């Protein structure tokens, strides 16, 4: 493409040329695709996408612009999440009453490189067949692109295996959260009197997890994954949430595993979400493994094995719990109907809810909001004992 101002190079030497947008320069990461039709701002600010390049399968991105309310990062370190975004069509002009700035300007301000004009369908099929590749994306407004250097950058990127990326998207200082869910009438409003005190162990927690906890009466104290179980329990919480986050769960478990094992032994109610779910599985004696293409989207069918109910959920993960390694007393509670991979665990005799998908669904359907109510019920029951 003679007029190319941007490009995407894969580690195998394949190059897709197109039109750059947003930030300039070169960024490297793992290329994944996301099938959501809405919520691009929430996706690109989800800390679980740290060191990833997101290919959107929906062709028209940008039509709702960007605004200050839809960020999912909860701390300054978590603001450096996705590194690149790839679209089929040029960025659409904003046409939405909540828009505060055009999406292209927002990308530039966030340091995210955008690329349009590439065959996203071909790239998606490639990922489905060959897995998520190491990749490099560039935006050079003058059109002077060194394709060989871009390929070399993709090849040099170390990848996500054995990477404790959760350590890079959290802050040292604890913080409190009492803000509730967004409403058209009032926006985000602080909750009233809290029924519960929840400690959230932050591995890259999304804001709407904290807001959903507030919605069921939970005031959150957020600690990072370096905390010990003694640090957590000293705050006398009614329950503990192990949050979502990026990277290889086995790597993060080396840092936080002892804390999780001790929390399980304490008998306190625990809710594990995404990376938190995977590390709970490791603490219980199971194993995790890398997925070929991962699950990234807002339209994934998951079955609750206890009730038989099928939910459409939001997912964002590249690792999964190996169900063949579940120890005695640990059973599947939810299962993906796309590929049969694990999407939840139940533990005999323990007040634990653990799911691979994102019950806060940002973006996505609200089929799984009930899990926060179920967690509130666990906290209520255990407090009464």
């Amino acid at each position: 493409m003679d007029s190319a101002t941007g490009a995407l190079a894969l580690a195998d030497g394949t190059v897709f040329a197109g039109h750059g947008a947003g930030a300039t320069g070169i960024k490297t990461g793992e290329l994944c695709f996301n099938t959501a039709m809405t919520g691009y701002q929430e996706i690109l600010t989800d800390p679980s996408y740290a060191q990833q390049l997101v290919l959107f399968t929906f062709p028209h991105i940008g039509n709702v612009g960007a605004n200050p309310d839809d960020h999912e990062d909860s701390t300054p370190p978590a603001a450096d999440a996705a590194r690149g975004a790839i679209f089929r069509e040029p960025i659409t002009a904003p046409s939405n009453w909540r828009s505060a700035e055009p999406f292209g300007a927002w990308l530039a301000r966030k340091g995210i490189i955008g690329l349009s004009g590439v065959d996203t369908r071909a790239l998606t099929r490639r990922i489905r067949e060959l897995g998520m590749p190491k990749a490099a994306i560039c935006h050079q407004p003058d059109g002077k692109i060194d394709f060989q250097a871009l390929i070399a950058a993709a090849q040099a990127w170390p990848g996500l295996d054995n990477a404790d990326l959760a350590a890079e998207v959290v802050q040292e200082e604890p913080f409190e959260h009492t803000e509730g869910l967004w409403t058209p009438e009032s926006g985000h409003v602080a909750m009233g009197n809290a029924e519960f005190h929840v400690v959230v162990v932050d591995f890259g927690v999304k804001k709407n997890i904290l807001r959903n906890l507030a919605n069921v009466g939970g005031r959150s104290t957020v600690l990072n994954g370096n905390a010990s179980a003694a640090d957590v329990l000293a705050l006398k919480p009614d329950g503990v949430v192990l949050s979502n986050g990026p990277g290889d769960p086995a790597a993060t478990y080396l840092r936080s595993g002892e804390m999780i094992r001790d929390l399980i032994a304490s008998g306190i109610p625990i809710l594990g979400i995404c990376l938190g779910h995977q590390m709970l599985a490791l603490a219980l004696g199971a194993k995790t493994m890398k997925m070929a293409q991962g699950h990234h989207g807002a339209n994934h069918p998951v079955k609750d094995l206890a009730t038989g109910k099928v939910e459409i959920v939001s997912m964002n993960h590249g690792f999964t719990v190996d169900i063949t390694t579940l120890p005695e007393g640990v059973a599947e509670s939810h299962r993906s109907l796309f590929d049969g991979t694990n999407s939840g665990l139940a533990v005999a005799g323990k007040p634990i809810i653990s799911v691979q998908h994102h019950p806060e669904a940002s973006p996505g359907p609200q089929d799984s909001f009930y899990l926060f109510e179920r967690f509130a019920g666990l906290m209520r029951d255990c407090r009464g004992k």
Side-chain angles (χ1 to χ4, degrees), residues 94-112:
S95 179
N96 185 276
W97 67 276
R98 296 180 68 226
S99 177
E101 65 180 318
F103 182 50
W106 180 86
L107 284 174
R109 186 167 57 79
K110 292 289 290 181
I112 300 170

Side-chain angles (χ1 to χ4, degrees), residues 34-268:
N34 188 298
T35 58
M37 296 174 66
T38 60
Y40 52 79
Q41 185 178 343
E42 292 98 318
I43 291 165
L44 293 174
T45 56
D46 178 352
S48 295
Y49 278 111
Q51 296 197 29
Q52 288 187 300
L53 313 177
V54 182
L55 166 71
F56 289 89
T57 61
F58 188 67
H60 301 288
I61 301 295
N63 56 343
V64 298
N67 67 71
D69 291 327
D70 287 346
H71 288 198
E72 284 295 333
D73 49 284
S74 300
T75 64
D80 183 17
R83 292 177 167 181
I86 299 96
F87 329 110
R88 175 66 186 91
E89 300 295 330
I91 292 173
T92 311
S95 179
N96 185 276
W97 67 276
R98 296 180 68 226
S99 177
E101 65 180 318
F103 182 50
W106 180 86
L107 284 174
R109 186 167 57 79
K110 292 289 290 181
I112 300 170
I113 296 177
L115 179 68
S116 67
V118 300
D119 190 341
T120 54
R121 180 173 292 184
L123 267 170
T124 300
R125 292 185 63 177
R126 186 183 186 90
I127 295 169
R128 287 180 61 87
E129 293 167 2
L130 302 176
M132 296 177 286
K134 298 179 182 181
I137 189 172
C138 77
H139 175 198
Q140 303 290 354
D142 61 5
K144 296 179 180 179
I145 302 172
D146 186 335
F147 293 104
Q148 290 305 313
L150 200 61
I151 294 169
Q155 294 171 340
W157 181 66
L160 297 184
D161 286 321
N162 303 312
D164 179 13
L165 299 187
E168 301 177 13
V169 295
V170 297
Q171 67 181 26
E172 286 295 322
E173 303 79 13
F175 65 96
E176 301 285 318
H177 183 95
T178 57
E179 182 182 74
L181 292 170
W182 184 88
T183 65
E185 298 80 16
S186 307
H188 295 292
V189 178
M191 65 182 293
N193 294 329
E195 181 180 359
F196 309 106
H197 177 212
V198 181
V199 168
V200 177
V201 182
D202 182 12
F203 299 106
V205 66
K206 294 174 67 178
K207 273 189 178 176
N208 274 299
I209 290 175
L210 303 177
R211 290 166 178 154
N212 269 279
L213 290 170
N215 205 50
V216 297
R219 172 180 63 87
S220 296
T221 300
V222 184
L223 307 179
N224 74 34
N226 291 325
S228 67
D231 295 331
V232 173
L233 297 174
L235 296 172
K236 301 188 183 305
D238 296 296
V240 175
V241 173
L242 304 177
S243 87
N244 65 291
D248 187 338
T252 304
Y253 183 74
L254 294 175
R255 177 167 54 91
S256 302
E258 181 179 357
M259 174 261 292
I260 297 171
R261 292 194 301 270
D262 290 346
L263 289 175
I264 293 170
S266 76
I268 194 167

